[in-house]
Amino acid sequence: MTTLRIDGRAACVPGSATILEAARGLGIEIPTLCHIPGLEAHGGCRVCMVEVEGSKTGFMPACATPVAEGMVVRTDSPGAVAMRKAVLEMILAEHPSDCFNCKKSGACALHEYCHIHGVVKVETGLEKKFRKPDVSHPFFNFDPDKCILCGKCVRTCESLQCSGVIGFAGRGRSARVAPDWGFSFGASSCVSCGNCVAACPVGALMPRERHFPGYSYVKRTRTICPYCGVGCSIELLTSGGRVVGVDPADGPANKGLLCVKGRFAYSFVNHPERLTKPLVRRDGVLVEASWDEALGRVVDAFLRTRDGKGPGSKAAEGEGEGAVPRGPHAIAGLSSARCTNEENYLFQKLYRLAGHTNNIDHCARLCHASTVTGLATTLGSGAMTDPIEGIDLQDVIFVTGSNTTETHPVIGSRIKRAVKRGATLIVADPRRTELAGLASIHLELKPGTNVALYNAMAAVIVDEELWNKEFVETRTEDFDSWAKALADWSPERGAEVCGVAAEDIRRAARLYAKAERAGIFYAMGVTQHSSGTDGVMCLSNLALACGKLGRPGCGINPLRGQNNVQGACDMGCLPGDLPGYRKTSDPAALAAFSEAWGVPLSSERGLTSTEILDRAAEGGIGFLHIMGENPVLSEPDSNHVLHALGKVGFLVVQDIFPTETSALADIVLPAACFAEKDGTFTNTERRVQRVRKALGAPGEAKEDLDILATILGRLGFSQTEAGKSADASASFDAVVSVDASASFDTVVSTDAGAVFDEMAALVPQYRGISYARLEGDGIQWPCPDASHPGTPILHVDRMTRGKGLFVHAAWHPPRESEDDEYPVVFTTGRNLYQYHTRTMTGRIDGLTRIAGEHYVEIHPETAALYGLAGGDRATIASRRGSLETIVRTRASVKRGVAFMPFHYAQAAANLLTNGLALDPMAKIPELKACAVRIGKADSSS
């Protein structure tokens, strides 16, 4: 530590700190236009000059000058202020003077510093006149005349985003910032993250939102991005009842960075297609209705199905074919990974409490059900073991089954930064993704062969005695039987099955095992297989064998796909799990919740989402409530889903937009989106974070919590009937105020904080968390009490289950392999510019301009084999259906494989996928591998 004095105040800071960092630690603000925290000092703008006693020149740039013992610094001396003013005058001399017309006004650092220092425009004839603004990009404009050449955009793109799109061109007074060697931003390789826009201290780079009134006229609300599971902190900018912009916030997960969706895909909030009134089906057509009528129909249908009274909606009452199923087993609900923890908690409570059923599930069944099952089996907890910031410490990073830079872009950028500093990257993926292009080893395996690859790597680790003997002996069990089972898995056998080089398998295993700190990152390329749980457990075996758990910079890290899929699991939106992963089959757990809620609960395991649809197709579901999901596009075998939903007795869809699923509903309930509600999300690293309401919902749309609470109220649950709580101070009455005879308008709205308090009292992992504690950077569960700081790293001293369990998994091929009739392996995924089923991103004009067209990617040789070329229209058919789409030839795709994003309803990839191939343990469908044939589409079609 180093001691110095700044403006007469003592500071004690690390010896590596700069004067700027030391001053900010004391709350002393030194102006700077080029500094980026966390990056090496640039020292280009010279606005941060301070007086340093005894230095050769007397003045030094604070951002680039390291502290020294006994140093005496003055930030406000006459000389330092004069130097700053001179620098600002030079910058302003070349800067346009139309500040009143600039929308950066109110957030322009140059304007602020000039105002503070009394610097005014002096006409010198030096004002820059380069060229017209570049308006070619769909999301932002670049005005080179306003650029002050601070270099923040260049260094942000190069060193933080790691895209390297922006640089300097020209010399002297002709110097300018330019993308990709002088091309326009629209024609460049820009990935539209907008981080350069956020970094710009002036108005040179600005969002092109036409409703944006200027920073002086907006309200800022700190909240969490509604897209992937990274959990980036953002500031919603609102004006006139609209969201008019998003700025990144310096949250723990994103550190001030965002991706294209988080930064620019917010205008769906204001979209005219938002659902604003309840819809009911009359004479086969959905028409507007009152809330009173819509919820009355919902409750009547619910009670009819549960209690067997009254006629059905789509099927005739009676016996035999066409009869409406009755009883709790005929009721089901699908909750939402896009809704808050509080909403998901109340959703599952509604169906367990009032429906007496555990037929509750959500989209984790389609993404990380195998993670929950696999890691819970081997470690005791089915969640990411390390914080995102652990990437900064890792020597080796193993990414498998994850196109991270497109599906979790902010984490992808962090991995790219780690590679730049010297970390070794191993990627296992059937496509040459961006990270695969940066990897030391790319294992281009055939889809469906993950287990074979991991077993072959494990065999190398065991055979060459690279395993961590002390860790294995003290903290694991069943190592010997697992190691013995690997005897048949030589790298040569793994190479034969996977289609990769045996030597690459050896190299990957050695690099991972020998690293001091190594992390595994995976996503749906591992989980969405009939062997998904086996794949997860095999990755756990690697981490256990090498002792890469419970330490900083290690761990096994599933990357969650949606903003709150971790939270929806935590809240018990699973057919066999109560909140906090307490099993419905556990008598003690069932008794605890039954006592807390005042109603006996069912111990019968419920149906998964795929099983619910299968039972519906057989005519066995009388009432189905879908909140915030679109299974027609997201579930496998879309034709089967359409058939199943068509046979549901009464279908309720609760959403923010009309969807392919809502078109089939009996009742559609308009809901508020993330920007219109309070609550919490839990991100992929188990961090519970606050979501804050920025504006009201459109029209008559209601918050999901209000809708669910009112349904509970209309079902007659009062404080005396369901009011007891594990915490006496968190009564049911605070969660849902009810009067069984009351109309919708007179029911008191639910408070998200009260729901959270009830949940936290019942869920050990959340027990120490409160809204007051979440005002900062959130808390990572488990947090057992109010004095606990949260748990960034799991399994530090012991595994959640006690000792880590080795489980050998035998490899078996995908349930449907290629053959003469269907000779191509079909796999699905996401792309950077769209999200899930495009309910939100499909309504963003800029994203549609960049990636609005459906397509299939195949290797040029595969395309030629079937008479296809890039740009052709092709027909793709499986045993379940067919579609037409546009061919993109990519050498990055493995030969014999076809890759297609599942986002696009016009060519729904899940028409082709295999809904019958399920993981036997997690019941997750095999969305990542089926067999198809490809040919040129009929030109007349």
Side-chain angles (χ1 to χ4, degrees), residues 764-802:
Q765 296 94 323
Y766 283 69
R767 187 159 293 152
I769 304 175
S770 65
Y771 269 28
R773 295 192 69 194
L774 293 177
E775 285 302 319
D777 286 339
I779 295 174
Q780 289 172 270
W781 67 254
C783 180
D785 58 66
S787 63
H788 195 281
T791 309
I793 301 174
L794 293 181
H795 318 305
V796 173
D797 298 315
R798 63 186 294 277
M799 306 303 166
T800 304
R801 70 179 299 277

Side-chain angles (χ1 to χ4, degrees), residues 180-238:
D180 285 348
W181 305 102
F183 292 113
S184 68
F185 275 96
S188 72
S189 59
C190 173
V191 295
S192 307
C193 65
N195 292 318
C196 60
V197 179
C200 182
V202 293
L205 285 162
M206 286 289 291
R208 59 185 307 170
E209 166 61 66
R210 62 189 178 91
H211 295 287
F212 186 69
Y215 281 97
S216 298
Y217 306 99
V218 298
K219 172 191 170 187
R220 292 177 177 269
T221 303
R222 175 83 173 248
T223 189
I224 303 299
C225 176
Y227 287 105
C228 78
V230 176
C232 295
S233 298
I234 62 174
E235 288 189 335
L236 280 179
L237 310 180
T238 54

Side-chain angles (χ1 to χ4, degrees), residues 365 369 373 533 605 608-611 918-925:
R365 189 63 48 199
T373 302
T533 302
R605 182 181 177 87
T608 66
S609 61
T610 47
E611 291 169 337
L918 299 179
D919 180 298
M921 290 177 278
K923 306 298 183 183
I924 190 169

Side-chain angles (χ1 to χ4, degrees), residues 368 397-404 407 415 425-430 433 435 441-443 445 449-451 453-454 457 519-527 529 535-536 538-540 542 556-559 928:
H368 277 285
I397 301 170
F398 181 23
V399 177
T400 177
S402 169
N403 184 8
T404 318
T407 57
I415 292 173
L425 177 62
I426 304 165
V427 172
D429 199 283
T433 61
L435 286 186
I441 302 173
H442 174 206
L443 300 163
L445 75 170
T449 62
N450 295 318
V451 170
L453 173 66
Y454 309 147
M457 289 177 64
I520 296 172
F521 296 85
Y522 72 90
M524 286 172 276
V526 171
T527 60
H529 289 279
V536 171
C538 285
L539 289 174
S540 179
L542 291 175
I556 178 166
N557 302 302
L559 300 178
K928 283 291 185 283

Side-chain angles (χ1 to χ4, degrees), residues 499-558:
V500 300
E503 189 53 37
D504 284 343
I505 295 176
R506 287 190 176 89
R507 289 174 56 216
R510 291 164 182 163
L511 283 168
Y512 176 76
K514 292 179 180 180
E516 175 64 24
R517 295 182 177 89
I520 296 172
F521 296 85
Y522 72 90
M524 286 172 276
V526 171
T527 60
Q528 287 183 334
H529 289 279
S530 57
S531 58
T533 302
D534 287 343
V536 171
M537 292 192 296
C538 285
L539 289 174
S540 179
N541 291 337
L542 291 175
L544 288 169
C546 299
K548 301 295 195 297
L549 285 165
R551 294 189 289 122
C554 293
I556 178 166
N557 302 302

